[in-house]
Amino acid sequence: MTTTAIEIAPDSALLVIDVQQGFDEESFWGPRNNPAAEDNIAALMDAWQAAGRPVVLVRHASVQPGSVLAADHPGHAFKDLVEKRRDGALVITKTVNSAFYGTPDLADWLTERGIGQLVLVGIQTNMCVETTARMAGNLGYDVLVPLDATHTFDLAGPAGLSLTADELATATAVNLQGGGFARVVTTADLLAA
């Protein structure tokens, strides 16, 4: 198998999606995967900031009653690993799955700066990370998703169907790369690039 070397653009933007305290409430979300996600996110944030590359923090403000991500709930706050690396980052607030439907407008911000490459990390792999990656791919961005810098939760669907968090992450990897939306990579791949 041949792999193409990853080239990180000097202005490649790291999008840190929904790394919020509310996702630590296991009683609300259920079992999660990838306990290393936060360490990998922190390593990438440190690398991006050390290189002077742009970092965008995306925060979900749920409008669902009783949500642990509602703006008036303590879970709305960024996790400490993000909060202490927040300096100089753009903060976008959204109420839906895609960071492209937030305030301020992500596409406008990227266009103003001529940014064409995005690296997406965060929570949940199969929800806001995947949705943002699909939209970014459709909009023509070069999208990289280090799957090991994301995590998600087991999920029940219709008629008794359910998938584990690992199965959902695998499906996201197949959807994104197989569908041509993004390249699925690892944190180590990006740190070495």
Side-chain angles (χ1 to χ4, degrees):
M1 180 175 119
T2 49
T3 56
T4 305
I6 296 172
E7 289 188 29
I8 304 299
D11 62 352
S12 177
L14 178 68
L15 272 62
V16 181
I17 300 172
D18 301 351
V19 182
Q20 294 168 251
Q21 292 180 16
F23 282 117
D24 288 339
E25 297 192 29
E26 188 176 343
S27 61
F28 188 88
W29 300 102
R32 69 170 271 187
N33 71 335
N34 192 17
E38 285 84 353
D39 287 344
N40 290 331
I41 292 165
L44 288 167
M45 289 184 75
D46 289 344
W48 249 249
Q49 290 175 325
R53 291 186 174 107
V55 175
V56 177
L57 307 179
V58 181
R59 179 167 31 202
H60 194 83
S62 179
V63 294
Q64 300 298 321
S67 173
V68 296
L69 300 177
D72 62 352
H73 190 281
H76 179 72
F78 289 123
K79 291 188 181 194
D80 290 344
L81 75 102
V82 171
E83 194 60 49
K84 69 185 186 181
R85 292 170 175 85
R86 180 179 178 156
D87 284 351
L90 172 69
V91 177
I92 292 177
T93 302
K94 64 179 181 58
T95 59
V96 294
N97 298 100
S98 176
F100 285 95
Y101 290 115
T103 305
D105 186 278
L106 177 60
D108 286 350
W109 187 86
L110 295 168
T111 300
E112 286 168 8
R113 286 155 184 79
I115 296 170
Q117 186 181 67
L118 308 178
V119 175
L120 277 57
V121 302
I123 310 169
Q124 299 180 61
T125 311
N126 57 310
M127 297 289 183
C128 298
V129 174
E130 182 173 347
T131 302
T132 300
R134 284 174 176 250
M135 280 197 70
N138 282 342
L139 291 169
Y141 293 97
D142 175 24
V143 184
L144 300 165
V145 179
L147 206 66
D148 62 353
T150 73
H151 81 75
T152 193
F153 305 91
D154 293 1
L155 188 64
L161 294 172
S162 65
L163 293 174
T164 66
D166 282 335
E167 290 169 333
L168 289 164
T170 298
T172 291
V174 172
N175 288 340
L176 292 180
Q177 187 149 329
F181 297 103
R183 288 179 285 160
V184 176
V185 297
T186 66
T187 297
D189 292 335
L190 293 174
L191 293 175

